[in-house]
Amino acid sequence: MAKLLECALNFSEGKREDVINAIAGAAQGVRVLDLNADKDHNRAVATFVGPPREIAEAAFRISAKAIELIDMNQHRGEHPRMGAVDVIPFVPLGEASMQEAIAAARQVGRRLGEELGIPVYLYEEAATRPERRNLADVRRGQYEGLPEKLADPQWKPDFGPNRPHPTAGATAVGARIYLVAYNVNLGTSEIDIAKAIARAVRARTGGLHNVKALGVMIEERNPSGSSPSGRSLAQVTMNVVDPFRTPLYRVLELVKIEAARYGVPIVGSEIVGLVPLSVILDTVRYYLQLEDFRDDQVLEARLWQEQ
Amino acid sequence: MAKLLECALNFSEGKREDVINAIAGAAQGVRVLDLNADKDHNRAVATFVGPPREIAEAAFRISAKAIELIDMNQHRGEHPRMGAVDVIPFVPLGEASMQEAIAAARQVGRRLGEELGIPVYLYEEAATRPERRNLADVRRGQYEGLPEKLADPQWKPDFGPNRPHPTAGATAVGARIYLVAYNVNLGTSEIDIAKAIARAVRARTGGLHNVKALGVMIEERNPSGSSPSGRSLAQVTMNVVDPFRTPLYRVLELVKIEAARYGVPIVGSEIVGLVPLSVILDTVRYYLQLEDFRDDQVLEARLWQEQ
């Protein structure tokens, strides 16, 4: 594969379809490969992949539109957030290096700060200080806590002013290795159970390496996933960093084990956005107990290799 | 996708690598996407995909080489067989129709009969009589039973002479919808258990629709799958016709249920040859309990679509 960056831009609108589409539409020439909006999180993720320069340009255009259309003073949602554009990660794929992803993050962060007046924090591999690597730490206090955070010298932004923007909050921009956003829906409406399971499975508090997890509430969907049925459901929402090393089946099976302690079943799960084929195949290999199954036994993979 | 045929040509050599490679190498311009040899079955499957005319040509060339190099009088193996080239199925993919697959089968069958003197039976969708549709019925009696079969007016071949070839046996050539060859290895060396499980899971004797199954013995492999460890293992070897309708997880789970009756675990399984992405994804959707996972959430699928 050529030098590619993936950008999974998270912005703080998950309910109004016209707004979501207008923001994603600002990508213009670059094709948004996946647009996933979550009403309960009141958040959406637009994923686009391409050469570094094009992807950085598209990230800026989409961000500018989100900043124009979203007023964070009105924003309520289940997922932690600090800005209209909440987080912009660049991920190297194919032959692109982490350095190229970091360069894209710095470039876009600088433009958001200097051209649009947004306070910007560089995080993960692009972080300027160790305490800014972790997104949860950067985002702590959320939108409402920004006046205090921006006044603190320890939290002087990497780009942009050290005072709040009137409507758009702050933005985290960074570079990181591939992660999969994976949510598991529990057969209970008790958020404390979801939080307990999240605590059990996240790396930092004693769970699986590479897993970040939170317990949240969502509106229950009908089995088709389309409309809410009126009840709330507890969810463990996770980021699995380096899913090539920590496979999805291991994450789900550990969530099941922890949920069993409460007599709570798994009623469904979702992978948000795009996922590499090898991650899917690691999970199939486990459940089917496959011996010697090669990635290129997938017919489409072989056909595409031939072109 | 364009008009494509897949051919999964089964020939009766699974042990001598030089012979296997010489036979597959006869494909010349057409790339063999997968070559899977099984020492216990003493059989190999060469899979190639492409436009109908090229695939029919390649099938004939590979067959001619197999007929040249394999002496069925010396052949022993765990899988039922009647010829050096045992079975040649053509499968329509993409925009190709079943009629085009049938036409390829007839063309190749005629050439094997008229140019190489091989008795040929057309089977499945290409069959000339209802009693020839089913491969198991066409192959019954195997190589050793051919003198008697070919003398029977009911079994006059569709092409070629009605007397045995000195070394190459007979060949079944046909057209069929997509199938996946799927084998499940049991933690026992009792073939009767494998046969009982096969009887329980195959459609014809009361199991899953679209499943054909046999119980066989194989040499146990080390976990890497490379070398035999010296013990025999029982295996349920299956063809899952229309895996888009009868998913692989359902097949495995039913085998597990039937094996449990004997206290026998599943120690591994294998998918032979190529498998379409959607078949893999149906199985992942089941085990991860995924809601709303689209085939095009697989990153490579989206990248390839963009080209």
Side-chain angles (χ1 to χ4, degrees):
Chain A
M1 274 204 286
K3 287 192 183 203
L4 299 172
L5 293 186
E6 182 204 53
C7 181
L9 195 153
N10 287 238
F11 58 91
S12 296
E13 176 60 58
K15 301 182 186 185
R16 295 174 293 172
E17 276 197 45
D18 52 340
V19 174
I20 295 165
N21 290 331
I23 293 168
Q28 289 174 13
V30 167
R31 177 138 173 207
V32 172
L33 296 188
D34 190 86
L35 182 59
N36 187 296
D38 188 309
K39 291 176 160 53
D40 302 287
H41 294 191
N42 198 8
R43 182 184 186 82
V45 185
T47 307
F48 39 106
V49 176
R53 183 164 299 185
E54 285 183 38
I55 294 310
E57 284 288 328
F60 181 77
R61 286 196 299 270
I62 293 174
S63 299
K65 183 59 73 175
I67 287 157
E68 177 194 335
L69 297 182
I70 297 170
D71 178 1
M72 290 306 291
N73 297 303
Q74 314 302 326
H75 186 275
R76 304 286 174 270
E78 283 298 322
H79 196 286
R81 78 284 183 271
M82 67 176 178
V85 182
D86 194 55
V87 53
I88 311 177
F90 292 96
V91 181
L93 288 176
E95 292 154 36
S97 66
M98 184 57 75
Q99 281 311 313
E100 285 163 309
I102 292 170
R106 287 194 184 127
Q107 176 192 33
V108 174
R110 177 182 298 280
R111 292 190 67 191
L112 289 178
E114 294 180 359
E115 296 180 39
L116 301 181
I118 302 292
V120 170
Y121 294 103
L122 296 172
Y123 79 106
E124 285 284 349
E125 301 299 325
T128 54
R129 316 179 191 194
E131 56 269 27
R132 296 186 182 193
R133 282 191 69 89
N134 192 300
L135 178 61
D137 296 334
V138 168
R139 199 161 49 196
R140 188 160 295 115
Q142 296 200 39
Y143 175 71
E144 290 73 16
L146 279 174
E148 185 178 337
K149 191 177 199 109
L150 289 164
D152 178 352
Q154 289 272 59
W155 285 101
K156 182 179 184 305
D158 292 301
F159 298 107
N162 64 343
R163 61 189 176 282
H165 184 281
T167 56
T171 300
V173 190
R176 57 162 175 75
I177 58 178
Y178 210 93
L179 71 74
V180 173
Y182 183 49
N183 301 328
V184 177
N185 299 333
L186 308 171
T188 176
S189 35
E190 294 192 44
I191 193 173
D192 286 345
I193 290 177
K195 288 180 187 290
I197 294 169
R199 187 160 46 247
V201 305
R202 83 164 69 92
R204 192 166 50 80
T205 45
L208 274 174
H209 191 51
N210 288 328
V211 173
K212 299 183 182 185
L214 294 171
V216 299
M217 292 302 291
I218 64 166
E219 289 306 309
E220 189 177 10
R221 313 265 190 258
N222 290 324
S224 69
S226 48
S227 58
S229 69
R231 291 183 301 178
S232 296
L233 215 55
Q235 179 188 83
V236 182
T237 179
M238 294 171 283
N239 281 345
V240 182
V241 173
D242 199 358
F244 312 102
R245 199 161 288 228
T246 301
L248 291 186
Y249 74 81
R250 196 171 299 160
V251 175
L252 179 65
E253 292 300 319
L254 188 60
V255 169
K256 283 184 188 175
I257 283 166
E258 297 294 340
R261 181 248 179 278
Y262 301 98
V264 165
I266 307 306
V267 299
S269 81
E270 61 174 334
I271 294 173
V272 178
L274 303 179
V275 60
L277 178 63
S278 68
V279 170
I280 293 288
L281 293 181
D282 282 345
T283 283
V284 170
R285 283 186 186 97
Y286 172 76
Y287 286 113
L288 291 185
Q289 300 177 243
L290 290 175
E291 298 169 350
D292 304 325
F293 186 84
R294 303 184 320 273
D295 287 22
D296 72 359
Q297 276 179 256
V298 176
L299 173 65
E300 287 84 343
R302 293 309 303 274
L303 287 180
W304 284 311
Q305 273 179 29
E306 301 305 306
Q307 286 173 0
Chain B
M1 272 203 282
K3 287 193 182 202
L4 300 173
L5 293 187
E6 183 204 54
C7 182
L9 197 152
N10 287 234
F11 57 92
S12 297
E13 176 59 59
K15 301 182 185 183
R16 294 174 293 172
E17 275 197 45
D18 53 339
V19 175
I20 295 167
N21 290 332
I23 292 170
Q28 288 173 12
V30 167
R31 177 135 172 207
V32 172
L33 296 188
D34 190 83
L35 182 60
N36 187 294
D38 188 307
K39 291 176 160 53
D40 301 288
H41 295 190
N42 197 9
R43 183 185 186 82
V45 185
T47 307
F48 39 105
V49 176
R53 183 162 300 184
E54 283 183 40
I55 293 311
E57 285 289 327
F60 181 77
R61 285 196 298 270
I62 294 174
S63 300
K65 183 58 72 174
I67 287 158
E68 177 194 335
L69 296 182
I70 297 171
D71 178 1
M72 290 306 291
N73 298 303
Q74 314 303 326
H75 186 275
R76 306 287 176 271
E78 282 298 320
H79 196 287
R81 78 286 181 270
M82 66 178 180
V85 181
D86 194 57
V87 55
I88 312 177
F90 292 96
V91 181
L93 289 176
E95 291 156 39
S97 67
M98 184 56 74
Q99 281 311 313
E100 285 162 310
I102 292 170
R106 287 195 184 129
Q107 177 192 33
V108 173
R110 176 183 298 281
R111 292 192 67 191
L112 288 178
E114 295 181 358
E115 295 180 39
L116 302 181
I118 302 293
V120 169
Y121 295 103
L122 295 172
Y123 80 105
E124 284 286 348
E125 301 298 326
T128 54
R129 316 179 192 195
E131 57 270 27
R132 296 186 182 192
R133 281 191 68 91
N134 192 300
L135 178 62
D137 297 332
V138 168
R139 198 161 49 195
R140 187 161 295 115
Q142 297 202 39
Y143 175 72
E144 291 73 17
L146 280 175
E148 186 178 335
K149 192 179 199 107
L150 289 164
D152 179 353
Q154 289 273 57
W155 285 102
K156 181 178 186 304
D158 293 300
F159 298 106
N162 62 344
R163 61 190 174 282
H165 184 280
T167 55
T171 300
V173 189
R176 57 161 176 76
I177 57 179
Y178 210 92
L179 71 73
V180 173
Y182 184 49
N183 301 327
V184 176
N185 298 333
L186 309 171
T188 176
S189 36
E190 295 193 43
I191 192 174
D192 286 347
I193 291 177
K195 288 180 187 290
I197 294 169
R199 186 161 45 246
V201 305
R202 83 164 70 91
R204 192 165 51 80
T205 45
L208 275 175
H209 192 51
N210 288 328
V211 173
K212 299 183 183 187
L214 293 171
V216 299
M217 292 302 292
I218 64 167
E219 288 308 308
E220 188 177 13
R221 312 265 189 258
N222 291 322
S224 69
S226 47
S227 56
S229 69
R231 291 182 302 178
S232 296
L233 214 57
Q235 178 188 84
V236 183
T237 177
M238 293 172 283
N239 281 345
V240 182
V241 174
D242 198 357
F244 312 101
R245 200 162 286 229
T246 302
L248 291 186
Y249 73 81
R250 197 171 299 161
V251 175
L252 178 65
E253 291 301 318
L254 188 60
V255 169
K256 281 184 188 174
I257 283 168
E258 296 295 340
R261 182 248 180 278
Y262 302 98
V264 164
I266 307 305
V267 299
S269 81
E270 61 176 333
I271 294 174
V272 178
L274 303 179
V275 61
L277 178 63
S278 68
V279 171
I280 292 290
L281 292 181
D282 282 345
T283 283
V284 170
R285 284 186 185 97
Y286 172 76
Y287 287 112
L288 290 186
Q289 299 176 245
L290 289 174
E291 298 169 350
D292 304 324
F293 185 83
R294 300 185 322 272
D295 287 23
D296 71 0
Q297 277 179 255
V298 176
L299 174 66
E300 287 85 342
R302 294 308 304 273
L303 287 180
W304 287 313
Q305 274 180 26
E306 301 305 305
Q307 283 172 0

